Amino acid sequence: MLYGHFDDDRREYVVTRPDTPLPWINYLGTEDFFGMISNTAGGCSFYRDARLRRLTRYRHNNAPLDLGGRYLYLRDDVDGDYWSPSWQPTRSALDSYECRHGLSYTSISSERKGIRADLLCYVPLGETLEVWRLTVSNDRERRADLSLFSCVEFCLWDALDDATNFQRNYNVGEVEVADGVIYHKTEYRERRDHFAYFACSEPLAGFDTQRDVFLGPYRGWDSPLAVERGCSFDSIATGWAPMGSHHVRLSLATSETREIIFVLGYSENPAAEKFDPPGSQTIDKTRVRPVIERWLMPSEFDRGLRVLRESWDELLSVLKVETPDPDTDRMVNIWNQYQCMATFNLSRSMSFYESGIGRGMGFRDSSQDLFGCLPMVPDRARQRILDLAATQLDSGGAYHQYQPLTKRGNDQIGSGFNDDPLWLVLAVSAYLKETGDLGILDELVPYDNAPGTESPISEHLERCVRYTLDRLGPHGLPLIGHADWNDCLNLNCFSEIPGESFQTADNREGGVAESLFIAGQFVLACQELAAVARLLGNSDRAASLEADAMAMAGTVEDHGWDGEWFLRAYDSFGEVVGSHANAEGKIFVETQGICVMAGIGVADGRAAAALKSVRELLATEHGIMLMSPPFTRYHLELGEITSYPPGYKENGSIFCHTNPWIMIAETILGDGETAFDYYKRTNPSARAAISDVHRCEPYVYVQTIAGRDAATFGEAKNSWLTGSAAWHLTAITQWILGIRPELEGLRIDPVLPPAWSGFTAQRRWRGATYEISVQQEKGSSGRVRWLEVDGTRVEGNLLLPAPAGSTVKVVATVEPA
Ligand code: BGC
Ligand code: NOJ
């Protein structure tokens, strides 16, 4: 069944029925204030940090699904009929329903018994608030006397504490209601200088701030007593569960339309100016009141929305393509870039699958997310690199995660994921290729945020590669530590304690497990750093990095080749992992991808053999599985990977993050047909027709699709916050379409499916705009060997940087090999 369709012109996905297989989510906000919003208005909001500054409650893993949100109730005051215009939480029948998820805004429109309601929500740029506009129209042939109730449930700031520490939290909640604005100020009396507010543009008939009064005893959000009886209680919360609800009466003549605006926001006061009058316990509202007044104005709502739209126009103008394939175009031009911004902003913190509590900003995740958003926000990417580098340790290792609010490394999760530092090298190199800003290498950044330890980024990167060389195992391969990219390959963990986190459990002393993945990643990172050293004229350093890369590649060839594919690892006993000799887990995708991307085995046929093995043993119609066959029982010596049932997550699902590595590897070997075929298999837009199988949103990539051995083969999970976003964008734009920033220039090196006759693209790079037309004789395949640049033939396929502001017209012809 189809649950909606794309509206490419408006850059929206239109959900046409509310009961999607899973909540289909969107995000509001791109800077400091964020909201998650589902197609039925479920979700929550937070300021900067989904754990530490949560404004509103959301119930992950609730039944029914997706409860807690920006809820409105409409009530016919004549017959008492009430409903939610966004369907949830009352789930009353609607005569029409449509949700449009756009770029950082969502609208939900519906009709019931002649009353039309259109809700539109977004976060204005530069503000720490969200605005909702509800337009209510009376299409009846008689006057409609309605009540409108709004409602949000406040979170007591720290989402983990809020969900666990009830003996305290049922006693601390405090609010103020002044001039129709509901202020949530729990803990403001003591150490917090911030509060939330919820305002409405209309005069109020009443309000509620105590959840259980609003709902009534033992009632749920689907039948609040205040709504049922048509009158608020004017409750003031002390303790229990503070909420915000406005009651507005609307009397609409036939065809009359009214606009009501709500503002939900976050505000801080300087510590010395918290209270008004000083000495009282009343919030000083001098700063916040003008902000509220301004955003309650319909003209500001329209202006803010326009500014938001223009900002997305600008961001997406950096990269546009027109190919023969509509699924490619809409993902590249709209949704994949949009998702990359979401992963850049939120890392793995808040989604329908991420609680916002356990997984803040990952070092490895955030480094890779940069690949996707660099062209759009190079300056913010630069700052992110500096923030990440400041959580590096002086050993060269890194905190595995940091908290966005404090930017400090997260002690609970600690360090010791031995791939982490190498991702920083790859991120910085991608940044340099995009921007040419070599100055970042001289930026002084501390280790572990400790003042006095500042050293240039170039030194940080040196320590990243040294970290690997300082930790080699019995075969001369990198030690894996807690895990490498595959967090669930915990080869030194040996966990026997029920419920112990595999991620943080102490490793067995002297763990000697080695990772072929880190080996390949090291080769790649050394090559990238060597290229930077050459560009800087440091040929000695370049040569020694190249020698390190060569030596490691040699070690991989000697100890990492299984005959038809690359091995995955050596476990703590020196036994092979990912070998034909293993009964299960014979072949893993990660090493086939990373080793070929690092060029290992490309010259001697091993790369081709590895990719053939991937095609034969791992590729399915839904994408490429992470490994095969999956483990059917728990292996103490392998860790979390064997904790999942076969076919799920790391244990043999189609772990989408890794699929682009194989697409890239295929292009390196020149097979555009296979690369693009793989690209289409995981493309969410191309999977829209099988939404009943796929179940997740058809507009964003997911982390996993259940593998062939799973009970639900083809079922997607964990959409939105995944490295799949940045890597798919990289694979399609830089390797298949082949528009690839390098240190010296913009490479035009498409490797296309033979059925294509070419494509066009517009790419802004280092200030100039390149209008690129690639032509290919249908049915042939090959590479571009010369370019026509503004009408002049240039040998090779590298465009040198053009002056900022200029437009360069490029024609590239793919020549059969
Ligand atoms: C998941 C991994 C994730 C890890 C760290 C595991 O439970 O399966 O995908 O990387 O947790 O958060
Ligand atoms: C998700 C994690 O966020 C990422 O860091 C990791 O590489 C993959 N899972 C694979 O385990």
Side-chain angles (χ1 to χ4, degrees):
M1 183 189 297
L2 282 178
Y3 294 84
H5 57 265
F6 288 91
D7 183 340
D8 292 334
D9 290 342
R10 290 172 58 163
R11 299 188 301 209
E12 291 173 339
Y13 186 83
V14 189
V15 190
T16 48
R17 42 185 302 162
D19 55 343
T20 44
L22 290 163
W24 286 3
I25 301 284
N26 192 16
Y27 288 99
L28 313 176
T30 56
E31 298 167 325
D32 288 334
F33 189 98
F34 296 98
M36 170 172 95
I37 182 164
S38 74
N39 58 304
T40 60
C44 61
S45 305
F46 58 95
Y47 170 74
R48 282 200 185 159
D49 192 312
R51 169 162 174 194
L52 298 175
R53 289 282 193 284
R54 184 86 60 94
L55 262 79
T56 52
R57 283 195 180 141
Y58 181 71
R59 289 190 170 68
H60 281 93
N61 202 10
N62 197 69
L65 285 179
D66 189 30
L67 224 56
R70 299 164 182 79
Y71 290 144
L72 297 172
Y73 302 86
L74 282 168
R75 178 179 188 275
D76 188 326
D77 283 339
V78 177
D79 63 9
D81 176 47
Y82 65 89
W83 70 98
S84 306
S86 62
W87 194 59
Q88 285 254 61
T90 67
R91 293 182 298 282
S92 320
L94 296 169
D95 300 328
S96 72
Y97 160 91
E98 181 182 272
C99 165
R100 287 178 172 263
H101 283 318
L103 302 181
S104 302
Y105 66 88
T106 284
S107 70
I108 303 175
S109 305
S110 67
E111 218 174 312
R112 179 173 160 103
K113 297 185 182 167
I115 303 298
R116 206 188 140 72
D118 299 277
L119 173 69
L120 200 161
C121 307
Y122 75 95
V123 174
L125 288 182
E127 301 290 346
T128 60
L129 55 86
E130 60 185 61
V131 281
W132 321 347
R133 183 185 62 198
L134 178 74
T135 313
V136 188
S137 315
N138 178 11
D139 293 342
R140 295 178 181 169
E141 276 163 14
R142 58 195 147 84
R143 175 167 286 282
D145 288 311
L146 306 172
S147 273
L148 164 68
F149 294 86
S150 65
C151 109
V152 294
E153 189 181 359
F154 292 114
C155 178
L156 309 188
W157 306 117
D158 179 334
L160 177 60
D161 189 73
D162 183 68
T164 46
N165 191 8
F166 305 109
Q167 60 81 28
R168 171 176 162 83
N169 293 336
Y170 282 162
N171 296 284
V172 288
E174 285 190 298
V175 297
E176 269 177 43
V177 180
D179 304 322
V181 181
I182 295 166
Y183 295 87
H184 173 230
K185 59 168 190 177
T186 298
E187 293 185 346
Y188 188 74
R189 59 167 55 244
E190 27 117 350
R191 292 153 298 171
R192 294 188 187 274
D193 302 336
H194 50 262
F195 56 90
Y197 55 87
F198 188 32
C200 171
S201 61
E202 297 297 299
L204 301 188
F207 63 85
D208 273 299
T209 66
Q210 183 67 284
R211 181 191 67 193
D212 299 337
V213 173
F214 173 77
L215 293 179
Y218 291 91
R219 284 166 173 255
W221 299 101
D222 54 348
S223 57
L225 188 56
V227 178
E228 187 181 286
R229 70 173 202 157
C231 185
S232 295
F233 292 91
D234 294 355
S235 58
I236 294 288
T238 55
W240 295 114
M243 55 114 47
S245 171
H246 309 95
H247 175 201
V248 173
R249 287 197 200 279
L250 300 169
S251 181
L252 300 182
T254 298
S255 303
E256 190 180 345
T257 290
R258 285 275 280 284
E259 262 183 32
I260 301 106
I261 294 181
F262 295 94
V263 180
L264 172 68
Y266 169 92
S267 187
E268 287 174 2
N269 272 336
E273 294 166 40
K274 281 170 68 167
F275 302 108
D276 177 29
S280 76
Q281 292 290 292
T282 313
I283 299 174
D284 185 330
K285 306 182 183 73
T286 325
R287 281 186 175 71
V288 75
R289 206 175 287 118
V291 178
I292 297 175
E293 276 161 20
R294 176 169 160 218
W295 286 103
L296 286 176
M297 284 163 34
S299 56
E300 276 303 278
F301 186 97
D302 293 339
R303 195 193 55 81
L305 191 58
R306 206 167 49 242
V307 171
L308 181 68
R309 287 204 161 108
E310 285 164 6
S311 120
W312 274 110
D313 287 344
E314 174 67 18
L315 289 172
L316 295 182
S317 68
V318 171
L319 168 66
K320 281 187 185 161
V321 302
E322 215 179 304
T323 75
D325 181 55
D327 296 313
T328 301
D329 289 2
R330 73 164 62 101
M331 289 312 294
V332 170
N333 294 336
I334 307 170
W335 295 98
N336 198 176
Q337 294 198 66
Y338 181 56
Q339 187 181 2
C340 284
M341 278 293 279
T343 60
F344 170 72
N345 284 322
L346 301 166
S347 193
R348 306 294 171 268
S349 64
M350 165 61 70
S351 77
F352 183 67
Y353 309 84
E354 301 280 10
S355 66
I357 291 171
R359 305 188 346 123
M361 310 291 287
F363 193 91
R364 153 199 318 135
D365 295 330
S366 292
S367 298
Q368 290 170 85
D369 291 343
L370 288 171
F371 304 158
C373 67
L374 266 169
M376 286 184 275
V377 286
D379 296 343
R380 292 183 69 194
R382 186 182 208 271
Q383 185 57 48
R384 178 63 53 77
I385 288 171
L386 304 183
D387 292 346
L388 283 167
T391 66
Q392 194 181 7
L393 304 168
D394 64 4
S395 65
Y399 278 104
H400 196 48
Q401 283 178 19
Y402 76 93
Q403 231 28 74
L405 198 65
T406 60
K407 295 191 177 176
R408 297 290 157 129
N410 186 330
D411 284 318
Q412 279 163 359
I413 299 173
S415 162
F417 294 79
N418 285 351
D419 64 316
D420 271 338
L422 294 173
W423 290 115
L424 185 64
V425 177
L426 299 177
V428 173
S429 137
Y431 172 80
L432 295 175
K433 290 174 181 175
E434 182 64 34
T435 63
D437 166 27
L438 293 167
I440 194 172
L441 296 169
D442 301 325
E443 283 286 347
L444 297 176
V445 171
Y447 295 98
D448 195 3
N449 278 293
T453 62
E454 288 77 7
S455 77
I457 288 288
S458 53
E459 171 61 20
H460 280 257
L461 300 185
E462 287 289 338
R463 291 196 195 187
C464 290
V465 294
R466 169 86 11 232
Y467 181 84
T468 305
L469 290 175
D470 286 347
R471 287 165 184 74
L472 298 179
H475 298 89
L477 291 163
L479 293 177
I480 198 168
H482 271 299
D484 57 28
W485 172 87
N486 189 331
D487 269 328
C488 296
L489 207 52
N490 314 117
L491 303 180
N492 299 308
C493 181
F494 294 86
S495 178
E496 291 186 283
I497 302 169
E500 179 178 56
S501 162
F502 291 98
Q503 304 294 313
T504 53
D506 277 344
N507 277 342
R508 190 180 260 192
E509 271 308 296
V512 292
E514 296 166 286
S515 162
L516 263 308
F517 178 84
I518 302 180
Q521 194 194 11
F522 175 82
V523 174
L524 199 55
C526 286
Q527 290 164 350
E528 299 288 311
L529 267 193
V532 175
R534 276 210 194 285
L535 189 72
L536 294 172
N538 192 347
S539 48
D540 289 351
R541 184 59 193 133
S544 87
L545 282 159
E546 280 156 2
D548 288 338
M550 286 263 289
M552 185 64 80
T555 310
V556 172
E557 282 163 9
D558 294 346
H559 300 291
W561 182 247
D562 191 53
E564 287 174 77
W565 57 81
F566 293 99
L567 286 175
R568 181 61 178 84
Y570 285 92
D571 73 14
S572 196
F573 306 109
E575 301 291 336
V576 284
V577 179
S579 159
H580 70 283
N582 298 119
E584 295 174 340
K586 288 173 184 288
I587 173 171
F588 282 68
V589 74
E590 302 101 301
T591 35
Q592 320 318 320
I594 199 90
C595 291
V596 180
M597 287 198 286
I600 304 171
V602 170
D604 67 9
R606 293 189 215 208
L611 295 185
K612 182 162 173 273
S613 301
V614 169
R615 271 197 295 279
E616 289 170 358
L617 301 173
L618 296 176
T620 77
E621 65 266 40
H622 294 291
I624 305 165
M625 297 183 292
L626 188 145
M627 46 80 82
S628 187
F631 299 102
T632 51
R633 62 187 181 85
Y634 180 55
H635 288 258
L636 198 56
E637 77 287 5
L638 300 179
E640 185 169 358
I641 187 166
T642 63
S643 74
Y644 289 112
Y648 292 99
K649 286 283 256 179
E650 280 83 348
N651 193 17
S653 80
I654 292 142
F655 212 98
C656 295
H657 188 136
T658 62
N659 280 229
W661 299 345
I662 300 299
M663 298 169 204
I664 295 170
E666 289 288 358
T667 66
I668 290 173
L669 296 196
D671 189 342
E673 174 81 3
T674 306
F676 189 70
D677 176 15
Y678 287 148
Y679 175 73
K680 285 286 283 208
R681 297 188 203 189
T682 46
N683 182 315
S685 163
R687 296 174 63 78
I690 55 161
S691 282
D692 282 323
V693 177
H694 184 79
R695 304 185 78 225
C696 281
E697 298 92 331
Y699 42 89
V700 285
Y701 285 94
V702 294
Q703 182 193 49
T704 74
I705 297 175
R708 193 186 277 142
D709 302 87
T712 54
F713 182 34
E715 179 194 37
K717 269 185 210 152
N718 206 356
S719 55
W720 275 104
L721 301 184
T722 152
S724 309
W727 274 108
H728 276 91
L729 191 64
T730 304
I732 184 71
T733 61
Q734 300 197 14
W735 296 89
I736 297 176
L737 302 181
I739 303 175
R740 186 160 69 242
E742 294 188 355
L743 292 173
E744 292 92 355
L746 189 61
R747 184 78 63 190
I748 310 296
D749 185 21
V751 182
L752 303 178
W756 284 20
S757 57
F759 70 94
T760 60
Q762 184 179 305
R763 175 70 153 90
R764 208 156 63 236
W765 180 70
R766 300 193 194 174
T769 300
Y770 298 82
E771 287 175 0
I772 303 161
S773 164
V774 173
Q775 294 161 4
Q776 174 173 273
E777 196 183 308
K778 260 195 175 187
S780 77
S781 62
R783 299 301 259 258
V784 168
R785 296 180 212 291
W786 57 274
L787 300 168
E788 196 186 298
V789 184
D790 285 332
T792 308
R793 183 180 167 117
V794 174
E795 292 309 314
N797 60 6
L798 190 69
L799 289 167
L800 297 179
S806 62
T807 299
V808 183
K809 286 205 176 347
V810 185
V811 181
T813 309
V814 176
E815 290 191 340

